[in-house]
Amino acid sequence: MTHSDFCRQQAAKAQADADATKLDNVRDRCLRSMTAWTDMADRAERVAAEREVREAASAAARAL
């Protein structure tokens, strides 16, 4: 499991918690949590993609 997968699972749990509660302040807290977890997952995926590009460029440079 990657870090982004973990973050997406936590975001889904926060969404489910928000859907299950009847209290507005708890729902708001869960939705803020979901947003934060989603942002972390997006960032982790972006970093992983950038790392792959850097590693491929580095490997290509070594091959020359």
Side-chain angles (χ1 to χ4, degrees):
M1 172 182 293
T2 65
H3 180 65
S4 62
D5 292 338
F6 174 76
C7 292
R8 298 254 182 241
Q9 286 180 349
Q10 294 303 309
K13 182 180 181 314
Q15 177 67 56
D17 291 346
D19 293 341
T21 190
K22 295 179 181 181
L23 302 172
D24 290 339
N25 61 328
V26 174
R27 183 177 306 105
D28 292 343
R29 184 191 70 214
C30 291
L31 293 175
R32 284 192 310 271
S33 177
M34 180 197 67
T35 300
W37 281 113
T38 302
D39 290 346
M40 284 186 274
D42 292 344
R43 192 172 330 131
E45 289 169 353
R46 191 171 47 251
V47 167
E50 291 170 356
R51 181 179 303 121
E52 287 179 17
V53 169
R54 281 193 314 272
E55 289 174 355
S58 180
R62 283 192 305 268
L64 295 178

